[in-house]
Amino acid sequence: NAGVMQNPRHLVRRRGQEARLRCSPMKGHSHVYWYRQLPEEGLKFMVYLQKENIIDESGMPKERFSAEFPKEGPSILRIQQVVRGDSAAYFCASSPKTDPGQPQHFGDGTRLSIL
Amino acid sequence: AQTVTQSQPEMSVQEAETVTLSCTYDTSESDYYLFWYKQPPSRQMILVIRQEAYKQQNATENRFSVNFQKAAKSFSLKISDSQLGDAAMYFCAYRWFYGGSQGNLIFGKGTKLSVKP
């Protein structure tokens, strides 16, 4: 039973390029969450999606960042025109239903490095 | 706004001994969940234990237990019989819910636990 799959594990981009981070939730999970972890910090919420819907994007920067979770395929976190400050670990988590007691299952994260 | 505070950036424990990691939170909600996650050097986020705010009984999972003090908004993690594999960052997290709505996880900044052989 595969867990949450994130790819790539490491991503290197130059300033101004685009970064695409992918997340496949656990089988049967329809809720996806993206978090960002800066060095020496805890995880910070970015966005919460269900299939084809953005439920809460209150943690997303207003510009350059977008997320989607299409009917088919993985969830994508897209960062346009990356800057040095975007360097971080990005984690995806999934849960099976709208039950806050159900623990979110995390992927191994994507470490994004901006040159 | 809800916040989670972990006041101990680093802690150290001798193998086989007991250690307690502190966590406090601030919220005006009455219904919520609290979690402890472990992040080893591999960077995985591993759920250690969870507590429902409406339950007075403290949660336990093998060597891990919590001391949940709702009035004080305190949620500490006790690790008994510490093992070398317990060395990791530990994050306290909070999640509210009300009716059919729920919030995202709010994390503290973490406590780095070292285990000495």
Side-chain angles (χ1 to χ4, degrees):
Chain A
N1 185 18
V4 178
M5 303 299 293
Q6 286 190 250
N7 66 82
R9 191 75 196 271
H10 296 95
L11 181 61
V12 180
R13 285 288 179 265
R14 296 187 180 279
R15 281 179 293 173
Q17 291 184 320
E18 178 180 289
R20 280 182 176 241
L21 288 63
R22 293 174 181 76
C23 169
S24 296
M26 284 182 70
K27 188 176 181 180
H29 288 195
S30 57
H31 300 251
V32 165
Y33 309 80
W34 285 94
Y35 295 86
R36 177 165 63 176
Q37 185 178 31
L38 295 171
E40 310 301 323
E41 295 277 327
L43 280 69
K44 293 281 174 61
F45 168 75
M46 299 182 74
V47 62
Y48 163 34
L49 310 104
Q50 295 178 23
K51 286 282 187 181
E52 300 184 281
N53 283 307
I54 296 175
I55 306 302
D56 180 358
E57 57 181 347
S58 58
M60 286 275 272
K62 294 287 184 271
E63 297 177 350
R64 302 187 298 108
F65 285 72
S66 62
E68 63 176 6
F69 188 17
K71 188 176 181 181
E72 300 291 337
S75 175
I76 306 288
L77 179 66
R78 182 182 176 204
I79 311 172
Q80 295 178 287
Q81 299 175 321
V82 296
V83 300
R84 286 258 170 87
D86 297 333
S87 294
Y90 292 82
F91 286 89
C92 169
S94 72
S95 65
K97 59 183 179 180
T98 309
D99 177 356
Q102 286 285 336
Q104 294 180 8
H105 297 263
F106 283 82
D108 289 344
T110 293
R111 184 179 293 279
L112 176 64
S113 298
I114 309 302
L115 301 178
Chain B
Q2 296 99 348
T3 57
V4 177
T5 302
Q6 293 179 250
S7 58
Q8 306 153 316
E10 295 187 27
M11 291 284 284
S12 181
V13 64
Q14 205 71 34
E15 195 175 6
E17 297 293 308
T18 295
V19 65
T20 298
L21 308 184
S22 301
C23 173
T24 58
Y25 58 95
D26 188 22
T27 183
S28 57
E29 304 292 336
S30 57
D31 292 326
Y32 49 88
Y33 285 85
L34 297 163
F35 305 85
W36 279 97
Y37 280 88
K38 169 185 177 181
Q39 187 179 42
S42 64
R43 278 202 351 249
Q44 282 182 291
M45 290 293 289
I46 302 166
L47 177 69
V48 174
I49 199 166
R50 62 176 167 170
Q51 173 80 42
E52 296 92 334
Y54 59 86
K55 287 188 178 178
Q56 294 191 354
Q57 186 174 4
N58 289 323
T60 61
E61 283 289 340
N62 301 314
R63 297 182 296 108
F64 298 88
S65 62
V66 299
N67 183 4
F68 173 49
Q69 302 288 328
K70 190 173 184 180
K73 295 179 183 174
S74 171
F75 182 60
S76 60
L77 175 70
K78 185 170 86 171
I79 306 174
S80 304
D81 186 25
S82 297
Q83 300 175 0
L84 294 177
D86 294 334
M89 283 291 287
Y90 285 82
F91 293 98
C92 179
Y94 160 99
R95 189 179 192 189
W96 62 262
F97 70 94
Y98 178 77
S101 301
Q102 59 173 308
N104 49 278
L105 284 168
I106 299 171
F107 287 88
K109 289 194 173 184
T111 296
K112 184 177 182 180
L113 178 66
S114 302
V115 181
K116 298 178 181 177

